[in-house]
Amino acid sequence: MTNSAPAVLGRVEPRLWTPPLRDLTDRNASFGYELIDFARAIGWPLDPWQRWLAIHIGELLPDGRPRFRIALILVARQNGKSLFCRILTLYWMFVETVPIVFGINSTRDTAKASWKEVIKMAESIELLARELPARHINKQIGEEEFWNSLGSSYLFGAPNSRAGRSRTIDRAIIDELRQHKNRDAWDALIPTMNAVPDAQAVIITNEGDDSAVVLHELGDAAQAFIETGEGDPRLGLFSWSAPPGSDPTDVEALAYANPDLNRRALQLDALLGQATQAKRAGGETLARFRIEMMCQRVDTLDPAIDPDAWKAAGSPEPVNLAEYRTRLCLCLDVSLNGEHATLVAAATIDGITHVEVVQRWQGFGCTAAVRAELPAIMKRLRPAQFGWFPAGPAAGIAASLRAKGSRSWAGRTKVAELTGDTPAVCMGLAEQVITGQVQHPDDDMLNAHVSQTQKLRHGDAWVYTRRGSAPIDGTYAMAGAVHLARTVKVRPPLELA
């Protein structure tokens, strides 16, 4: 794939979308055609992707109501999404003349800025300005309102638990839903539309990290309907996004997420320059580029282990580590709340360190089960080394085992306390994953723990930390096992008498 392809244009159709129930080539099947005509009449013709979107979110049921009560649109930055929202708002006010249009954004200030832009546009267009009474704006803080002589008003609010409350909302614009960290604004605004038979909320945003709880809940539900046909047929998803796992400098991937690419102001060379810089920087810089310019879901902004490299390291046919007991190493770790524990095995074979989850325990009081079951596991596997992090939450379990006279539970296994090596262990695993020296069995629990693991920096070094309350003991246990496996002296086989 070449990185210099000026002829590449952004994709008009999204990568993923909810299929229509009607033939949308029929102008009577969608209000989108009327929206397109309106945009042209006011001197702001829609771009190709905006025309496609207008027709699809404008799909009508046979009784004339919008098919989608909620339309979720994902598209990268600088592709004209805010302009589309302004034109749609004016269409609702001056053509459909609905009583109330309500807008929210990532903050009250950005919502107010959008409100001002709509007013500015309406006042500057003669066709619309003649429908404005002499007084058509209320600028009083907390009561801001813009209205026309057709009986339609546009209001905005902060993204909080008071958004739209005590009103009946006919249409809603929600910009940058990815910034909503809880359901407060959503639970305040959306129920205000329940009594309106033809209500519609249009949400336009780019992707977010795992804190974008409402966005991901909606997106997952809409995608499930696309894939299975089960769920809410009036929830629509239109996702201009790069395919999962795409390289940031892949021109075709960028075209998926940026439908205006090489059409107006968004130029390929500028986008590729940002992509190259983000790829070189890695970490949070790369994560933000993926979110904002590739419209990809990112679990953490500063991932400790590169997500793409980790995915590439998965193997559907893992090595049977039981066959390599003389070099097998185990490491145990426990979550901070003590409600999850993981035992991971690793062995280096022909320069590649293979890992496997031996056992996991979860639930309140699971550490008692770890103490009870670990000796039998050690006796069965007879690893060359067993380790833990004495400064971490596993110290209590390991210390109690260590106190069992002469370490009878460990047998011939060397017991290693990973003291003072934590940054080297953590950073070492990350480097080995990137360079392809680690292979894992694509275990769901291990994948989840890795995706939740971020960097906690100490100067130029760093260790692992978690995002939110999710456990990451699997990541720590794996890092310790890999470290031991790469440094262990292979134990000679046991000679039988």
Side-chain angles (χ1 to χ4, degrees):
M1 175 75 65
T2 177
N3 287 346
S4 55
V8 172
L9 296 175
R11 289 180 173 261
V12 173
E13 292 185 355
R15 183 178 63 85
L16 184 68
W17 77 90
T18 305
L21 301 176
R22 304 178 65 179
D23 177 7
L24 294 186
T25 61
D26 178 2
R27 288 182 62 94
N28 295 319
S30 170
F31 71 72
Y33 291 100
E34 197 172 52
L35 174 57
I36 293 168
D37 293 342
F38 170 77
R40 187 181 301 111
I42 64 173
W44 290 91
L46 300 181
D47 290 344
W49 80 273
Q50 294 169 331
R51 294 197 296 270
W52 188 100
L53 177 62
I55 292 169
H56 281 75
I57 67 168
E59 181 181 355
L60 298 171
L61 296 172
D63 61 7
R65 294 176 299 148
R67 182 256 175 107
F68 298 112
R69 282 186 70 85
I70 298 173
L72 174 60
I73 303 145
L74 297 175
V75 64
R77 291 179 61 188
Q78 300 299 310
N79 281 275
K81 61 186 180 68
S82 296
L83 176 60
F84 179 83
C85 289
R86 292 198 292 270
I87 295 170
L88 178 60
T89 298
L90 291 172
Y91 168 80
W92 283 336
M93 292 183 68
F94 289 85
V95 178
E96 291 194 348
T97 63
V98 300
I100 294 181
V101 180
F102 196 90
I104 58 175
N105 208 303
S106 55
T107 66
R108 187 182 189 279
D109 287 344
T110 52
K112 186 172 184 177
S114 296
W115 178 77
K116 287 182 174 179
E117 287 295 326
V118 168
I119 297 171
K120 181 180 178 181
M121 183 179 286
E123 291 175 336
S124 67
I125 298 170
E126 182 180 355
L127 182 66
L128 306 182
R130 64 190 184 208
E131 300 293 348
L132 298 178
R135 180 175 179 268
H136 52 269
I137 308 171
N138 181 2
K139 295 183 178 180
Q140 184 174 338
I141 295 176
E143 298 182 13
E144 293 97 334
E145 184 175 357
F146 165 57
W147 62 89
N148 59 25
S149 58
L150 304 172
S152 185
S153 293
Y154 174 35
L155 304 91
F156 69 90
N160 57 31
S161 59
R162 296 187 300 277
R165 282 191 185 273
S166 76
R167 297 182 180 275
T168 298
I169 306 300
D170 301 270
R171 300 287 187 274
I173 291 283
I174 303 175
D175 201 353
E176 292 300 355
L177 184 65
R178 74 185 184 96
Q179 300 287 5
H180 293 210
K181 309 304 182 185
N182 56 51
R183 297 184 57 88
D184 289 353
W186 182 264
D187 289 343
L189 178 58
I190 297 303
T192 66
M193 308 175 74
N194 288 347
V196 181
D198 64 345
Q200 186 174 46
V202 172
I203 303 152
I204 194 159
T205 181
N206 46 34
E207 256 294 0
D209 61 18
D210 66 348
S211 66
V213 290
V214 182
L215 170 59
H216 292 161
E217 179 182 310
L218 284 177
D220 290 345
Q223 186 166 344
F225 178 79
I226 293 171
E227 294 172 350
T228 67
E230 298 178 358
D232 183 3
R234 301 194 67 192
L235 167 61
L237 172 64
F238 307 92
S239 175
W240 279 269
S241 54
S246 300
D247 187 283
T249 58
D250 184 331
V251 172
E252 293 295 340
L254 293 174
Y256 270 110
N258 294 273
D260 242 6
L261 184 64
N262 283 332
R263 295 183 186 277
R264 283 199 185 182
L266 188 62
Q267 296 301 307
L268 179 60
D269 56 354
L271 196 56
L272 279 175
Q274 296 172 39
T276 301
Q277 180 183 355
K279 188 175 177 181
R280 182 182 298 115
E284 184 173 351
T285 301
L286 178 57
R288 289 193 180 279
F289 182 85
R290 288 191 178 281
I291 288 171
E292 297 183 352
M293 303 313 301
M294 300 182 76
C295 220
Q296 291 180 323
R297 185 181 300 192
V298 172
D299 291 311
T300 60
L301 288 180
D302 195 10
I305 298 173
D306 182 86
D308 294 335
W310 173 256
K311 183 176 180 180
S315 173
E317 299 180 359
V319 171
N320 182 9
L321 296 186
E323 299 176 0
Y324 300 90
R325 292 183 178 180
T326 59
R327 64 187 71 192
L328 187 67
C329 296
L330 304 184
C331 187
L332 172 73
D333 198 51
V334 179
S335 64
L336 285 176
N337 62 9
E339 295 185 6
H340 198 282
T342 308
L343 181 66
V344 173
T348 300
I349 306 162
D350 297 330
I352 302 296
T353 303
H354 301 261
V355 301
E356 178 183 330
V357 178
V358 176
Q359 183 66 282
R360 70 203 77 184
W361 298 266
Q362 62 184 29
F364 181 75
C366 71
T367 51
V370 177
R371 281 192 293 269
E373 297 172 16
L374 188 57
I377 294 173
M378 295 288 290
K379 185 177 180 180
R380 172 170 56 87
L381 295 181
R382 300 193 302 276
Q385 278 192 302
F386 171 87
W388 78 89
F389 297 90
I397 294 176
S400 65
L401 292 171
R402 182 173 50 192
K404 292 186 176 210
S406 71
R407 292 199 181 120
S408 58
W409 61 277
R412 298 180 70 215
T413 297
K414 178 182 177 182
V415 178
E417 297 183 6
L418 298 169
T419 56
D421 290 336
T422 306
V425 170
C426 295
M427 296 172 71
L429 174 63
E431 186 272 335
Q432 288 145 22
V433 170
I434 287 177
T435 56
Q437 298 178 71
V438 169
Q439 189 174 92
H440 63 85
D442 206 19
D443 178 88
D444 289 342
M445 183 276 292
L446 204 55
N447 290 340
H449 284 215
V450 167
S451 72
Q452 292 151 185
T453 304
Q454 296 194 123
K455 296 174 183 175
L456 179 61
R457 299 180 185 274
H458 299 287
D460 292 333
W462 49 265
V463 296
Y464 298 151
T465 189
R466 60 185 181 170
R467 178 66 181 260
S469 59
I472 59 169
D473 50 281
T475 312
Y476 261 111
M478 175 175 57
V482 169
H483 175 78
L484 294 174
R486 298 191 75 84
T487 57
V488 69
K489 292 182 179 180
V490 177
R491 187 183 67 197
L494 179 65
E495 294 183 4
L496 300 177

